[in-house]
Amino acid sequence: MVLSSTCEDPCEQLQSTFASRYVLDPLPKYKLPEKSIPKDAAYQIINSELMLDGTPRLNLASFVTTWMEPECDKLIVDSLNKNYVDMDEYPVTTDLQNRCVNIIAHLFNAPIGAEETAMGVGTVGSSEAIMLAGLAFKRKWQLKRKSQGKPYDKPNIVTGANVQVCWEKFANYFEVELKEVKLTEKCFVMDPVKAVELVDENTICVAAILGSTMTGEFEDVKLLNELLTKKNKETGWDTPIHVDAASGGFIAPFIYPDLEWDFRLPLVKSINVSGHKYGLVYPGVGWVVWRNKDELPDELIFHINYLGSDQPTFTLNFSKGSSQIIAQYYQFLRLGFEA
């Protein structure tokens, strides 16, 4: 959320011209009114103020979805009061998330079998998805370093300087050094050669971007995998790759099906994608999928039983709405692979 600050003049009043027949006394803008007002007056005041916002369908400044079919809008409205975390109360909604994770895992060529079974979770957006993926990498690296009797207090992550701000947030909030590959006049994305040169024994992962925020370019994940595999063999490390496919994850499988960027590459351990971008769902919904359960340390998963049964959960928040998860499944079901 945007950071807000308190107003120096708490007595400033709302402009309530269109609600004047209901509102005899001025209403404070930054304090609770002394009394309640009629519901239609409250609606009119807020609706009139919102007229000064931009029109979402004319918003070309961001990548998020601003229109969905009326049938999906109805599903969203009907499910606004469903708490996503109440799995026992809303088992079908929980199953819809599971279906979405499976659909995305297959789309990203995740291994599905007895030995390797992909796992995933729905998030508020790719920012939360990246935080969760980063935490999994950090904790797994720390556990390995502890078992080897080596220092585990200086983790780092390698990215290009073109990463979205959520990567900087992750590094800052969770105390991970951010090692950025600088861009050049001829290359506006991360150079895999330079990225691998920055990798050391403290690198928890290299993050590749499939769809740069600034230009939409795909980074060469296949070359990164080849170079990193070679370095891992030479050093004895096992530095993995995360693919930030927030923008490109729902584009590449359809337009560039032969492009190898996903779980077909052995070092790719997790992928995030934004449902509210080219997943064609209103904000905010994102997804993160891990290659298998070994990539997600058990100690990061919390088990709750507030409603009776055991509910494993891995999120940064707790309560949230179910409507975007349902909307995502609607789009998958409605459009299919060949839209």
Side-chain angles (χ1 to χ4, degrees):
M1 300 295 289
V2 175
L3 190 63
S4 299
S5 58
T6 55
C7 182
E8 294 182 0
D9 181 14
C11 296
E12 185 175 342
Q13 298 172 348
L14 282 171
Q15 300 298 319
S16 52
T17 302
F18 298 107
S20 57
R21 56 179 171 162
Y22 302 108
V23 184
L24 299 179
D25 299 315
L27 294 172
K29 182 180 288 188
Y30 299 111
K31 296 174 65 178
L32 279 175
E34 293 295 328
K35 299 179 180 179
S36 62
I37 62 174
K39 58 186 179 182
D40 45 359
Y43 171 83
Q44 186 63 65
I45 291 171
I46 298 171
N47 184 61
S48 297
E49 286 204 273
L50 289 174
M51 290 175 65
L52 298 178
D53 267 352
T55 303
R57 288 177 65 182
L58 299 179
N59 177 11
L60 301 180
S62 66
F63 304 146
V64 299
T65 298
T66 57
W67 183 86
M68 298 187 75
E69 293 175 325
E71 291 78 6
C72 191
D73 285 345
K74 188 175 187 306
L75 285 173
I76 290 172
V77 172
D78 290 345
S79 59
L80 283 175
N81 58 353
K82 285 187 178 180
N83 191 355
Y84 172 71
V85 79
D86 290 345
M87 302 177 194
D88 283 346
E89 291 292 327
Y90 310 117
V92 176
T93 298
T94 301
D95 187 53
L96 294 189
Q97 184 216 237
N98 295 338
R99 296 181 202 177
C100 287
V101 167
N102 275 268
I103 289 170
I104 295 169
H106 281 93
L107 200 60
F108 294 168
N109 296 289
I112 308 295
E115 296 184 359
E116 279 195 310
T117 301
M119 300 181 68
V121 67
T123 62
V124 174
S126 271
S127 291
E128 184 189 9
I130 285 168
M131 301 288 174
L132 297 179
L135 279 172
F137 282 121
K138 181 182 178 183
R139 188 59 58 87
K140 187 176 181 181
W141 173 84
Q142 287 176 322
L143 291 172
K144 182 178 181 180
R145 298 282 290 184
K146 287 180 183 180
S147 68
Q148 296 173 338
K150 296 179 179 179
Y152 53 89
D153 59 333
K154 295 182 179 180
N156 69 66
I157 187 169
V158 176
T159 72
N162 57 310
V163 292
Q164 211 261 1
V165 69
C166 59
W167 285 100
E168 298 176 33
K169 288 183 178 180
F170 166 74
N172 190 333
Y173 295 166
F174 297 105
E175 299 180 322
V176 176
E177 179 190 0
L178 185 64
K179 300 174 73 172
E180 292 184 334
V181 177
K182 302 304 179 185
L183 309 184
T184 67
E185 293 182 357
K186 295 183 178 180
C187 183
F188 299 125
V189 293
M190 181 179 69
D191 181 341
V193 175
K194 294 180 180 178
V196 173
E197 289 175 354
L198 292 177
V199 171
D200 59 32
E201 64 178 347
N202 294 321
T203 302
I204 62 174
C205 82
V206 180
I209 310 299
L210 196 78
S212 174
T213 300
M214 306 303 177
T215 64
E217 291 180 76
F218 291 1
E219 293 180 346
D220 194 339
V221 188
K222 184 177 182 180
L223 177 57
L224 177 64
N225 182 84
E226 293 171 357
L227 296 174
L228 197 53
T229 298
K230 181 180 179 181
K231 185 160 188 173
N232 283 343
K233 288 182 179 179
E234 293 173 349
T235 60
W237 305 333
D238 58 354
T239 308
I241 296 172
H242 174 86
V243 179
D244 178 357
S247 296
F250 285 135
I251 293 179
F254 304 99
I255 300 180
Y256 310 109
D258 297 326
L259 180 67
E260 294 183 31
W261 63 272
D262 51 21
F263 290 116
R264 285 170 288 185
L265 303 175
L267 289 183
V268 174
K269 304 301 183 183
S270 56
I271 301 173
N272 69 276
V273 64
S274 286
H276 58 230
K277 291 188 176 74
Y278 299 106
L280 304 181
V281 177
Y282 297 135
V285 60
W287 303 91
V288 57
V289 179
W290 287 271
R291 174 180 286 274
N292 55 54
K293 63 180 181 180
D294 292 336
E295 304 304 328
L296 182 54
D298 288 337
E299 60 189 65
L300 291 178
I301 301 174
F302 285 81
H303 295 264
I304 57 174
N305 58 2
Y306 299 140
L307 299 179
S309 67
D310 176 68
Q311 301 177 4
T313 176
F314 182 37
T315 68
L316 293 182
N317 65 303
F318 194 69
S319 294
K320 71 174 182 178
S322 300
S323 53
Q324 267 71 15
I325 300 295
I326 294 169
Q328 184 72 83
Y329 185 67
Y330 171 90
Q331 293 291 45
F332 287 158
L333 189 66
R334 167 81 169 88
L335 299 176
F337 190 88
E338 224 177 324

